[in-house]
Amino acid sequence: MRIVFIHPNYHSGGAEIAGNWPPAWVAYLTGHLRRAGFDDIHFIDAMTHHIGHDELRARLMSLKPDVVGLTAITPAIYEAEETLRIAQEACPDALRVLGGIHATFMFRQVLEEAPWVDVIVRGEGEEILVNLMEAVRDGLWPEGRRKIRGLAFKDGDEIVATQAASTVKDLDAIDPDWSILDWDKYIYVPLGVKVAIPNMARGCPFTCSFCSQWKFWRDYRVRDPKKVADEIERLVTDHGVGFFILADEEPTINKKKFVEFCQELIDRGLNERVTWGINTRVTDIYRDRDLLKFYRKAGLVHVSLGTEAAAQLKLDLFNKETTVAENKEAIRLLREADIFVEAQFIVGLENETKETLEETFQMAWDWQPDLANWSMYTPWPFTPLFQEIRDQVEVFDFSKYNFVTPIMKPAALTRGELLDGVMKNYRRFYMRKALFHYPWRGTGFRRRYLLGCLKAFLKAGVGRTFYDLGKAGYWGPQTKGKVDFHFDETRTIADAQMADWEASADKAAKAAERRAAVKAQMAERAEERKFKMPEVAACGGGKQQMDEEA
């Protein structure tokens, strides 16, 4: 049975400026399928190779697959749907499968707007996909599809969602097949080396209201650090990878295992062969301040910090357990440890003004991170914050939900003014860095890395790909009133998806009412009995709980 995976040809002016990123999803799925006995697997990276629809159609007709599978984040969802429509034309007998975070939570929307999608894999794909492929191979599809957990599909006019599958409990049983990728194409521009995005953990114990990762992965699980180091060693030795970024939302959550991973890299000498970066929280950096030089010794050179917003008001809105002072201190600690630090700011909420945009710039310059990034607030339609501000959302063209297009319109700014304010921050920050910092920050690796980052920004800026400026028609402050983001105003939330949301909201409201009623009843009874709940003592009789060492 022949399986063809495709990475949709979607582009925006965000993370791509640093290079072509290898689609790790296909390596993890392919590895799990090969272990289950599926060997005839092909991959078309339409994004990296800029493969158009005509060429894609020709390739599919040549390959004659039995199954065509894609995954897509929210901004790539329309291109993924169109790719599967092309697959329907090129190989009509092939099963068309779609996975990823958007389809997982928005399966009703997807199946209503793209009825040619045969089946959606909801959640982590490795185990569900193997079950699905075995059913196809054994002739149990489509008759037995309702028995497979973690799927969504149309049966006549009915949209069916089978029982959710459990998360992958044994992450160490997943052995990605990185050979499925054409490694010469995945280059990290700042260093000019091959780049990989392996996975150490899945899930997140935190519930930031703007993020959906904790909903998708559900429970938090960490792989054996030795297994992760094995994978890094294969990437370096077999594929020539010189830089990697851990794909985890926050790999430092489990301090003990992160330290073990770093030690494993040092013990194997991998810290001399590969450098790497992570995303993490300010609180973890502050917690690990005495370990930062050890992390640097292990090869960690780049940390992207979710400082998120300059104003404490915004931090509270996002449920970030940090303070502005902690942000500044974390950046200072990282720079002292010779680790490049990138500060991430979220802009574009309803209360954004020229003054708050200026405030984020002043804070960025005061904090002095090596890099700064201003991302447009993107209201993922499956997050708690989206449900809270849904009445303010005017744009439902998900192809623009890419962190670089202003989906939300602040009350005091036009979208063009918002974009211009962000570009002003970028211009000032990197111009000052280019003139007064990067060329004079030591020699060797540090200077080379910073100038490499500057090169990536300049390359994207000259090519007008940064922030999709060319497509929007932005050429500077003089054009802020003329920019056109080309929103597809015909896009709306599908009726089936809206009905599902309303049913979920109604269910949640009723549950909250029941909890409130029970609480009130218990309080009333306690008052009647003059009963007061005692404080629960910790071990040893004290009330303060022991800090957990992770």
Side-chain angles (χ1 to χ4, degrees):
M1 187 170 78
R2 175 164 293 179
I3 301 168
V4 173
F5 288 122
I6 304 172
H7 196 56
N9 185 17
Y10 175 83
H11 298 271
S12 68
E16 292 176 65
I17 68 171
N20 292 323
W21 302 98
W25 65 269
V26 73
Y28 284 92
L29 292 181
T30 299
H32 215 61
L33 285 167
R34 290 199 192 283
R35 288 190 62 183
F38 297 93
D39 293 323
D40 193 356
I41 303 175
H42 302 257
F43 176 52
I44 302 172
D45 189 347
M47 178 180 178
T48 298
H49 294 274
H50 295 266
I51 296 174
H53 292 167
D54 291 340
E55 182 181 348
L56 180 62
R57 184 181 292 105
R59 289 200 185 189
L60 287 173
M61 292 176 69
S62 175
L63 285 167
K64 297 181 175 61
D66 299 292
V67 178
V68 177
L70 287 79
T71 191
I73 56 175
T74 294
I77 189 63
Y78 302 144
E79 183 60 27
E81 291 172 358
E82 180 63 14
T83 298
L84 287 179
R85 190 192 65 77
I86 291 170
Q88 182 186 41
E89 296 176 356
C91 40
D93 295 330
L95 181 71
R96 296 174 293 277
V97 185
L98 180 62
I101 190 167
H102 186 92
T104 290
F105 294 116
M106 302 286 287
F107 63 89
R108 297 185 186 279
Q109 173 94 20
V110 172
L111 291 172
E112 192 163 295
E113 68 190 8
W116 54 86
V117 176
D118 291 322
V119 59
I120 287 172
V121 171
R122 296 163 48 234
E124 289 175 274
E126 288 90 354
E127 294 178 350
I128 301 172
L129 192 61
V130 166
N131 293 335
L132 175 58
M133 293 300 98
E134 288 176 341
V136 174
R137 180 195 62 195
D138 299 339
L140 301 176
W141 183 271
E143 288 75 13
R145 56 186 171 173
R146 290 177 181 257
K147 297 179 181 179
I148 303 173
R149 294 187 176 189
L151 301 182
F153 49 84
K154 260 194 166 184
D155 189 353
D157 293 331
E158 179 189 6
I159 294 177
V160 178
T162 65
Q163 183 176 342
S166 64
T167 55
V168 177
K169 302 306 180 186
D170 184 9
L171 289 184
D172 292 325
I174 297 176
D175 186 16
D177 177 16
W178 291 107
S179 67
I180 195 75
L181 299 175
D182 180 5
W183 283 100
D184 290 337
K185 298 297 182 182
Y186 305 112
I187 303 298
Y188 185 56
V189 172
L191 292 176
V193 297
K194 295 177 184 177
V195 60
I197 313 178
N199 182 256
M200 182 173 175
R202 291 183 179 180
C204 181
F206 303 106
T207 57
C208 294
S209 61
F210 59 86
C211 182
S212 58
Q213 291 296 319
W214 57 273
K215 291 182 65 179
F216 181 79
W217 300 109
R218 295 184 282 173
D219 51 313
Y220 175 66
R221 295 143 288 147
V222 187
R223 296 171 62 191
D224 180 349
K226 293 184 185 300
K227 295 283 188 181
V228 184
D230 288 342
E231 188 175 329
I232 301 301
E233 193 160 20
R234 290 196 302 272
L235 285 166
V236 173
T237 303
D238 298 343
H239 304 293
V241 168
F243 185 81
F244 70 86
I245 295 178
L246 289 176
D248 312 24
E249 286 299 296
E250 185 191 353
T252 54
I253 292 175
N254 190 314
K255 178 180 176 181
K256 180 181 178 181
K257 289 202 172 184
F258 187 74
V259 168
E260 289 177 9
F261 171 67
C262 290
Q263 188 63 57
E264 196 67 29
L265 295 179
I266 294 171
D267 292 345
R268 300 185 190 203
L270 288 169
N271 59 321
E272 302 293 336
R273 301 172 63 192
V274 64
T275 53
W276 49 289
I278 62 172
N279 295 285
T280 194
R281 291 165 61 94
V282 165
T283 48
D284 286 11
I285 297 301
Y286 194 76
R287 178 200 69 193
D288 296 350
R289 54 191 177 276
D290 295 331
L291 286 167
L292 295 180
K293 290 185 178 179
F294 167 71
Y295 294 163
R296 178 63 181 86
K297 181 181 178 182
L300 177 62
V301 298
H302 188 134
V303 171
S304 180
L305 281 181
T307 52
E308 312 302 5
Q312 187 62 47
L313 173 64
K314 294 179 186 176
L315 291 171
D316 293 340
L317 174 64
F318 290 147
N319 293 343
K320 295 296 272 190
E321 299 169 8
T322 59
T323 66
V324 170
E326 287 172 342
N327 290 338
K328 183 175 181 178
E329 178 65 7
I331 290 171
R332 185 188 69 79
L333 290 168
L334 285 166
R335 295 192 66 210
E336 282 188 356
D338 195 30
I339 297 173
F340 303 107
V341 56
E342 178 180 359
Q344 300 274 358
F345 297 96
I346 289 180
V347 297
L349 283 165
E350 191 271 344
N351 61 340
E352 196 75 71
T353 63
K354 292 180 180 179
E355 290 73 25
T356 59
L357 286 172
E358 177 65 23
E359 183 183 1
T360 62
F361 171 77
Q362 294 299 335
M363 282 197 167
W365 196 250
D366 176 52
W367 296 350
Q368 277 300 301
D370 297 290
L371 304 161
N373 182 28
W374 285 267
S375 296
M376 299 290 185
Y377 169 62
T378 302
W380 301 123
F382 27 77
T383 59
L385 189 56
F386 182 91
Q387 299 301 328
E388 293 177 23
I389 66 172
R390 195 170 70 192
D391 291 343
Q392 302 171 31
V393 180
E394 302 171 338
V395 177
F396 297 100
D397 179 355
F398 293 134
S399 68
K400 305 299 183 182
Y401 279 49
N402 49 23
F403 292 116
V404 304
T405 304
I407 299 301
M408 305 297 292
K409 189 193 110 35
L413 299 170
T414 66
R415 287 186 175 85
E417 289 171 334
L418 174 59
L419 177 64
D420 182 59
V422 169
M423 289 303 107
K424 179 182 178 182
N425 285 356
Y426 273 114
R427 284 192 297 268
R428 289 185 292 172
F429 184 87
Y430 285 100
M431 187 175 294
R432 293 184 188 182
K433 286 287 186 180
L435 292 174
F436 305 114
H437 288 251
Y438 291 167
W440 324 112
R441 284 298 184 262
T443 59
F445 181 79
R446 166 164 281 274
R447 185 170 182 270
R448 180 164 64 93
Y449 190 87
L450 290 173
L451 290 177
C453 291
L454 182 62
K455 173 186 174 183
F457 273 104
L458 290 175
K459 181 180 177 182
V462 171
R464 311 299 296 162
T465 57
F466 183 60
Y467 263 63
D468 266 353
L469 297 181
K471 294 179 183 178
Y474 177 85
W475 293 91
Q478 71 277 11
T479 60
K480 64 185 177 183
K482 301 177 182 179
V483 294
D484 185 352
F485 299 104
H486 305 287
F487 295 127
D488 184 348
E489 297 180 359
T490 66
R491 298 285 186 178
T492 60
I493 300 297
D495 292 340
Q497 189 68 55
M498 188 67 76
D500 190 47
W501 281 353
E502 291 174 352
S504 297
D506 185 55
K507 183 178 180 181
K510 289 181 179 179
E513 289 176 4
R514 287 195 299 270
R515 289 194 297 271
V518 170
K519 185 176 180 180
Q521 189 179 49
M522 290 178 66
E524 183 179 343
R525 289 180 179 177
E527 180 65 26
E528 290 174 356
R529 298 173 185 175
K530 302 296 183 183
F531 175 76
K532 183 178 180 181
M533 289 292 291
E535 292 183 279
V536 180
C539 296
K543 297 183 180 67
Q544 184 177 359
Q545 297 292 329
M546 182 182 298
D547 291 331
E548 179 184 357
E549 291 190 12

